[in-house]
Structure formats: structure tokens, C-alpha cells
Amino acid sequence: MTVNGVAREVEAPPLARLLDVLRGPMGLTGTKEGCGEGECGACTVLLDGVPVNSCLVAAGQCEGQALTTVEGLHDPNGALSTLQRCFVEDGGAQCGICTPGMLVAADALLRANRNPTEDQVRDAIAGNICRCTGYQRIVDAILHAAKLASQHASTAPQAGPGGAP
């Protein structure tokens, strides 16, 4: 499987939970275990771009697929992404248990919809529970990131054929 853009092999029973393989042999502890039953979304990762609860996915199901964890959301230079910065600056990161899953779910939304409404943001994170109940700050952070990304896209040089500006 490819994890955060890097081909990875791991020895694990095929029915091992993806969450355990990520946090154990792969050492990617950013993905959190909340309920362990697929109810809270703390363990959300992207499987071929689609948010899934890694506590409900067998590692063997991921062979040949692309996984993105919260560790893979940073900018190419290793700095926090716009979305991550907005979570920090706007108070979207609170106790931290839900934050990785919220970030991954929000990243999937913003990749599919660069200009979501508040209702669309709330729908996108509906499977993620915040035990601090600070949903409004999380929604605000996602909308802020969408706005910044939209502004950046409108000021960036347009790529010509082959990606040349």
C-alpha cells in the first residue's frame, strides 16, 4: 500500500485493524482511537481519497490502495497546510482527540469542493464527534481554510499546457 505518498510494506495479519497497523508497525500515531466501533471518527483516514474509519477496515483490504493519514496532510515543504494552520489559529484544535479525524474529513471535503457552504462542512464532518463540543470553531476553521485556498487559487499563475505558467 501507499501511505502518505510512500510505498510501504508491513507484516500483519490480513484481518488486523488498519488503525492498529498504522499506529503500531508503521508508527503513524497521529491517527487516534476513540470508540473503536466506527462511531466517533477519531480514526478517520483517506482510503483512495475517501474518508473511512480505520478501526473498521482490515489492513488486508488496503493492499494496492493509497492511504492518507493526518501525517500526510502537511504542505510539500513539511510546514502545516493551510487547513492545519486554520485549525490552530481559529481554535479548531481543542483537546486533540478528534482533530486528526476532523482534519482528514475536512481535507477530503476541500479537495472535492473548494468553496463549501457551512451546511456542507457540517455534513462532511458529521461522522466525527468532538467531545469538547467545539464544533463551531472547527466549522469556522474549515471555512477559513476554504476561503484562503480560494484566494490563493485566484492569485496563482494559471498553468498552461503541460503545467507551464
Side-chain angles (χ1 to χ4, degrees):
M1 68 181 82
T2 301
V3 181
N4 300 327
V6 177
R8 302 278 304 258
E9 287 189 31
V10 64
E11 292 283 330
L15 293 180
R17 297 185 316 166
L18 176 60
L19 172 64
D20 296 329
V21 171
L22 290 170
R23 291 183 55 82
M26 291 192 180
L28 298 170
T29 58
T31 303
K32 303 300 182 204
E33 179 165 11
C35 66
E37 299 175 348
E39 297 290 331
C40 74
C43 65
T44 303
V45 298
L46 300 179
L47 182 59
D48 282 341
V50 177
V52 298
N53 293 317
S54 62
C55 69
L56 298 180
V57 175
Q61 293 176 293
C62 302
E63 186 173 340
Q65 299 194 46
L67 287 169
T68 303
T69 68
V70 70
E71 289 92 343
L73 297 183
H74 60 77
D75 282 346
N77 62 7
L80 294 178
S81 68
T82 299
L83 179 61
Q84 291 169 317
R85 281 195 318 274
C86 287
F87 261 67
V88 171
E89 293 168 3
D90 298 338
Q94 295 158 53
C95 80
I97 294 296
C98 75
T99 304
M102 290 282 188
L103 282 167
V104 170
D107 184 77
L109 168 67
L110 296 179
R111 287 182 188 276
N113 181 355
R114 298 176 88 179
N115 196 14
T117 65
E118 183 170 335
D119 286 345
Q120 290 169 326
V121 169
R122 290 184 182 280
D123 283 347
I125 61 170
N128 299 74
I129 295 173
C130 171
R131 68 184 188 180
C132 302
T133 68
Y135 292 100
Q136 189 59 52
R137 289 181 178 223
I138 292 168
V139 170
D140 290 346
I142 296 168
L143 290 171
H144 187 199
K147 181 178 179 183
L148 291 176
S150 178
Q151 290 171 346
H152 177 73
S154 67
T155 59
Q158 298 296 314

